[in-house]
Amino acid sequence: MGENKWMGKRWEDMDTDVLVKIFKELNLVELSPVSQVCRLWRLACSDPLIWGTLDFGLLKSNFIQTRASPYIWVDDRSDKRLAKILRVAMAISCRNVNCLIFHYNLYMKDEHLHFISERSPHLKRLVMPAWNRITKVGICQAIQRWEELESLTMPTIGHPPYIMEEIARNCKNFTELKIMGSFDVQFASAISQNLPKLKVLSLRCSKVTIDALVSLLNSMEYLEALNISHCLLLEAAVNERRQVVHELDDQTLDKASRLREFHYCQSRSCIACQRMMVDEGIMRWYRYEDWFWRQDEVRSLDLQDYGKLFDVDCERLTSVD
């Protein structure tokens, strides 16, 4: 009898869709060598189904707070680690990343942002890290490249108009914004003037002035969803001091009720509301569970789980000793 020969497909001859299903179970560290096996595997490793969302929510900088601008010092090894991870991710993804999520305690620089924006031209959603080391020029140049951007989650910033202006000029499909920090009349005005067709706005766990909230409700004709859950609400300043508002007045509630979605919580029994009071309106996210900052009552803004690409094992394998 002749020898039985295996007639199945070789790995390098497998259908791309089968390879993609397999490679979706790998993290970034595991994908890197796999992508170098052959041309077919490289193509499968770069598939949009794998790279639609690149969640770096577990990636943080080693830093120390300082008194001088930019108010933090970052370990050089953290910067090198970030640069290396970004190089690998952007090389394999082949411009297929649609959603990028960064931890709020990741302190990237302009050069990192520039590298990312050049290699993710089809980005639709961005969850920004801390601003401290990102300049006005850096973020504006990045936004200019992200013409398809639809959603932005950002820490609060001292002078927001220029970012809203840049989004208005370049991102024609932009409809969704989440702000983490402080929200005042200046911020509200920047949004209403530059993003009048904004549909979704979340101010969850932020310090919000009542006059800013009223301004939004009066001016944002296309707004469909607003989240002010667990916010520290402050009334108009009297003698340069603002008092905490524990309940919205009926007129404001009536205007908000006309929205498709309005999320509002100021319950003394709510843990998130209690944390906002303890932190005096500026949430100290680092004090709490690492998933806490990722939550949102608006479903499209909730970050859910971390995904596979940069999971706990990947974070450990790329950590700085």
Side-chain angles (χ1 to χ4, degrees):
M1 294 179 63
E3 292 184 4
N4 290 327
K5 293 186 177 180
W6 171 248
M7 300 301 292
K9 285 187 177 181
R10 297 178 300 175
W11 272 95
E12 59 267 31
D13 295 329
M14 291 187 69
D15 294 336
T16 302
D17 57 345
V18 175
L19 290 173
V20 170
K21 289 181 180 179
I22 296 171
F23 296 163
K24 279 183 69 176
E25 301 304 313
L26 305 181
N27 63 36
L28 183 60
V29 171
E30 296 163 337
L31 271 177
S32 182
V34 170
S35 68
Q36 301 174 43
V37 170
C38 64
R39 184 174 177 275
L40 179 63
W41 284 30
R42 172 77 175 189
L43 183 65
C45 285
S46 302
D47 194 275
L49 290 176
I50 297 176
W51 292 96
T53 297
L54 180 52
D55 191 336
F56 285 124
L58 293 172
L59 183 60
K60 310 172 192 176
S61 299
N62 291 332
F63 68 96
I64 299 173
Q65 293 182 334
T66 64
R67 294 184 178 181
S69 180
Y71 306 109
I72 49 97
W73 172 86
V74 178
D75 184 351
D76 185 56
R77 292 176 300 173
S78 283
D79 283 340
K80 291 179 179 178
R81 176 198 187 199
L82 174 59
K84 182 178 180 180
I85 291 171
L86 291 176
R87 281 197 302 270
V88 173
M90 294 296 108
I92 303 175
S93 64
C94 292
R95 304 161 73 91
N96 283 321
V97 176
N98 296 132
C99 173
L100 261 173
I101 300 170
F102 293 104
H103 194 278
Y104 61 90
N105 269 348
L106 180 69
Y107 293 94
M108 68 169 57
K109 297 188 289 188
D110 282 359
E111 61 195 66
H112 299 127
L113 195 60
H114 177 81
F115 183 85
I116 294 166
S117 63
E118 281 194 323
R119 291 160 179 80
S120 56
H122 305 298
L123 195 69
K124 290 181 170 59
R125 183 182 185 187
L126 174 65
V127 177
M128 281 288 295
W131 291 106
N132 299 57
R133 299 198 297 169
I134 298 175
T135 67
K136 176 180 178 179
V137 172
I139 185 60
C140 287
Q141 287 180 345
I143 291 174
Q144 289 166 15
R145 297 187 183 98
W146 286 323
E147 295 181 354
E148 299 177 31
L149 191 67
E150 299 174 2
S151 174
L152 175 65
T153 296
M154 56 178 278
T156 193
I157 191 168
H159 303 284
Y162 73 85
I163 296 180
M164 303 300 114
E165 291 168 4
E166 206 65 51
I167 292 173
R169 278 194 292 265
N170 297 281
C171 311
K172 302 307 178 184
N173 296 321
F174 192 86
T175 58
E176 195 173 70
L177 179 64
K178 178 175 180 177
I179 297 158
M180 301 168 65
S182 297
F183 188 78
D184 57 15
V185 171
Q186 182 193 27
F187 217 141
S189 177
I191 291 175
S192 60
Q193 290 178 18
N194 295 287
L195 304 174
K197 294 187 177 181
L198 190 72
K199 293 182 179 180
V200 178
L201 176 63
S202 177
L203 306 174
R204 184 183 195 270
C205 296
S206 293
K207 182 188 291 186
V208 179
T209 62
I210 291 295
D211 45 357
L213 177 60
V214 171
S215 174
L216 270 179
L217 292 172
N218 287 336
S219 60
M220 300 297 289
E221 178 183 352
Y222 295 91
L223 193 65
E224 298 177 2
L226 175 63
N227 186 8
I228 58 168
S229 297
H230 327 302
C231 286
L232 187 70
L233 301 177
L234 301 174
E235 65 182 12
V238 178
N239 297 326
E240 298 184 355
R241 299 188 64 181
R242 292 180 181 269
Q243 297 296 320
V244 176
V245 176
H246 295 288
E247 288 186 11
L248 290 176
D249 61 79
D250 291 341
Q251 186 177 8
T252 303
L253 284 172
D254 180 62
K255 291 179 180 178
S257 66
R258 300 171 190 175
L259 301 173
R260 176 174 54 82
E261 284 184 57
F262 177 57
H263 301 278
Y264 169 55
C265 176
Q266 279 199 304
S267 171
R268 295 186 179 183
S269 62
C270 170
I271 293 176
C273 290
Q274 292 172 7
R275 290 173 174 177
M276 277 297 290
M277 292 297 294
V278 170
D279 291 343
E280 299 179 337
I282 303 297
M283 188 70 82
R284 271 63 172 179
W285 300 103
Y286 60 86
R287 293 179 176 176
Y288 310 116
E289 304 90 349
D290 211 35
W291 47 261
F292 182 51
W293 70 276
R294 298 171 61 89
Q295 293 183 319
D296 202 285
E297 286 72 16
V298 177
R299 180 175 296 182
S300 61
L301 290 170
D302 189 90
L303 297 180
Q304 301 177 8
D305 60 51
Y306 291 97
K308 187 65 181 177
L309 275 173
F310 199 83
D311 58 11
V312 174
D313 289 336
C314 195
E315 195 281 332
R316 176 178 53 81
L317 290 169
T318 60
S319 63
V320 177
D321 295 329

